[in-house]
Amino acid sequence: MLKWLNALFSKTKTEVNTECMKPEVHEPQKNNIKSVSTKYLIVGLGNIGAEYANTRHNIGFKVVDFFAKKEGITFETVKLGSLAEYKFKGRTFLLLKPNTYMNLSGKAVKYWMDKGNIPLENILIITDDLNLSYGKIRIKPKGSDGGHNGLKSIHATLNTTDYTRFRFGISDEFKKGKQVDYVLGEWNEDEKTKLPERLELASEIIKSFGTAGLENTMTAFNGK
């Protein structure tokens, strides 16, 4: 009987020790850290063609053209537009001028957003705004299209209004019924004189958007 009990105790002890010796298995932890994109799509809205080059409606093109010249980069003809790449402080800025004409701008924005794998929060749309006095800046994280056909197209294509727009004031100094002529008209002499300083400021805004972030950029530049 004693031998039997000793054998049973030894077996049980061995089993217990074996269980205790099993390595503890931990479930792999999921990485909850969200990756941050360092690529930005800067879209200047406008119409292609020499007849539109110096019109108020083409201020988006004018801003990115000025920026590219200032930084020594060039545009290349690509699908649905012209594209230039600029690198600064670890960020990559893709400057886009859609060649779709204003009313189909969303098509180019969506294509390059997808191709570059650029998140919605890293998109900046530069456009003219009749409701702001000449040269006044307003940066907003979302909002209505305000009757702007380029923004209407982007809204419809992306199915959202939650993207950042940089509105450049062109004022509303036109007679009743002359809005189209005014928007598609060229800058007057006073506006032309003041434009270079405004374009310098716009270039600072582009860099700030990618490096300082939206909130800081709005605080620093809105109303200037």
Side-chain angles (χ1 to χ4, degrees), residues 14-167:
T14 301
E15 289 175 350
V16 171
N17 288 342
T18 300
E19 289 297 319
C20 292
M21 292 172 63
K22 286 183 179 180
E24 188 176 357
V25 179
H26 296 279
E27 290 293 327
Q29 292 184 347
K30 293 182 179 180
N31 187 356
N32 292 321
I33 300 175
K34 185 179 179 180
S35 61
V36 178
S37 174
T38 57
K39 189 179 288 187
Y40 297 82
L41 182 62
I42 312 299
V43 184
L45 296 186
N47 288 311
I48 59 173
E51 67 271 32
Y52 298 110
N54 294 307
T55 63
R56 296 179 177 90
H57 210 30
N58 266 41
I59 188 60
F61 277 17
K62 186 71 76 175
V63 167
V64 293
D65 279 337
F66 182 90
F67 184 93
K69 184 177 181 179
K70 177 181 172 66
E71 300 300 334
I73 57 176
T74 57
F75 282 92
E76 295 182 3
T77 301
V78 294
K79 185 173 181 178
L80 299 177
S82 297
L83 196 73
E85 183 179 286
Y86 174 69
K87 293 183 181 294
F88 179 68
K89 291 188 176 181
R91 278 77 166 178
T92 298
F93 297 80
L94 297 182
L95 309 179
L96 175 66
K97 296 189 295 182
N99 66 3
T100 56
Y101 287 100
M102 193 69 79
N103 294 1
L104 295 175
S105 299
K107 187 176 181 181
V109 173
K110 180 69 164 60
Y111 176 82
W112 285 101
M113 181 179 167
D114 291 344
K115 187 173 179 62
N117 194 27
I118 301 172
L120 189 63
E121 61 268 23
N122 285 13
I123 301 215
L124 179 67
I125 307 295
I126 306 169
T127 180
D128 58 302
D129 193 325
L130 284 166
N131 297 314
L132 298 175
S133 59
Y134 172 77
K136 187 72 76 175
I137 302 299
R138 182 174 295 165
I139 303 152
K140 298 179 68 177
K142 59 183 177 180
S144 70
D145 57 55
H148 193 286
N149 288 332
L151 296 182
K152 284 181 182 179
S153 174
I154 295 170
H155 294 178
T157 306
L158 300 185
N159 196 31
T160 183
T161 61
D162 294 343
Y163 58 84
T164 305
R165 68 284 316 275
F166 164 8
R167 296 179 181 269

